[in-house]
Amino acid sequence: SVLRVLMWGEDQCNLELPNNSVISRHLTDLMLYRVNFDRESPLDLLSCQALEVLHIDGCCLNPGGILPKSLRHLKIVHSILLSMHTPRNCLSAPGLVTFELQHREEWTPILESMPLLATSSIIIGFECKDNCDNFKYLGNCGVEPCEGCYVEDDCSVLLEGLLGATNLTLISKYSMLCF
């Protein structure tokens, strides 16, 4: 079954839904456009055991980190992924074949291993907090409050999860210290 939750209308208006409103064990394709979910608890996508396609666009949600093993195609565009205890969300989706992340706001998620990944496109815009606040440095700008230049343990947030991709596009429009 397919579920599309789309909010059309005013630019600043997003539909607010409870976290259990899109859960179905028969759902195979889920498209969310301009929908916000409860920030305090994760969206239980693991209960969508048949989910194969997930498209998130212009949303604010906590995906819970672990995505269903059945998920094959994931696209996240202009969205905020929240985490319960850390600024960075960690995504585990071992069944993904295609993954697209565009113009991510907030922190770039840490991607766990995706051994079946064939195609991935990552485009990071200026909204991402992994960018240097001063927009011109390719390393540490030396400004103490610059969140983009503070990297925990020299982490690689994207590359480890993308190692198996045979077709990979990585684009950062500004200085991104952490790929």
Side-chain angles (χ1 to χ4, degrees):
S1 63
V2 175
L3 176 62
R4 287 183 175 80
V5 181
L6 310 171
M7 180 62 184
W8 300 104
E10 298 296 320
D11 287 340
Q12 301 301 320
C13 183
N14 277 24
L15 179 64
E16 301 279 337
L17 289 177
N19 286 355
N20 61 356
S21 58
V22 297
I23 306 306
S24 168
R25 62 185 171 130
H26 304 291
L27 186 64
T28 58
D29 189 330
L30 176 59
M31 179 182 201
L32 301 171
Y33 178 70
R34 290 181 49 196
V35 179
N36 291 344
F37 292 91
D38 179 14
R39 294 172 174 249
E40 300 303 317
S41 60
L43 185 62
D44 184 16
L45 292 171
L46 276 178
S47 295
C48 299
Q49 299 169 0
L51 188 63
E52 294 180 6
V53 178
L54 177 57
H55 184 162
I56 301 168
D57 190 343
C59 297
C60 181
L61 60 95
N62 180 344
I66 301 173
L67 299 173
K69 291 180 182 178
S70 59
L71 189 64
R72 299 290 176 251
H73 309 282
L74 175 60
K75 183 174 183 176
I76 303 170
V77 180
H78 298 290
S79 294
I80 297 173
L81 300 181
L82 302 169
S83 177
M84 294 290 287
H85 305 291
T86 63
R88 239 184 252 289
N89 200 304
C90 181
L91 293 179
S92 175
L96 276 187
V97 176
T98 63
F99 176 57
E100 188 174 338
L101 180 68
Q102 290 184 19
H103 302 289
R104 169 88 177 96
E105 296 181 25
E106 297 296 317
W107 294 99
T108 305
I110 295 172
L111 303 177
E112 292 191 0
S113 178
M114 296 183 224
L116 303 178
L117 191 65
T119 302
S120 184
S121 174
I122 311 291
I123 301 172
I124 304 295
F126 67 89
E127 302 95 352
C128 178
K129 287 192 176 181
D130 290 309
N131 290 317
C132 174
D133 292 341
N134 298 303
F135 296 115
K136 58 186 173 188
Y137 291 94
L138 295 175
N140 189 335
C141 68
V143 177
E144 187 82 22
C146 180
E147 289 183 316
C149 286
Y150 172 73
V151 181
E152 292 181 33
D153 302 325
D154 294 324
C155 66
S156 172
V157 295
L158 292 171
L159 296 179
E160 183 177 342
L162 303 174
L163 284 176
T166 54
N167 186 5
L168 178 61
T169 302
L170 293 174
I171 298 172
S172 177
K173 295 190 178 188
Y174 295 96
S175 303
M176 186 169 172
L177 201 65
C178 196
F179 255 122

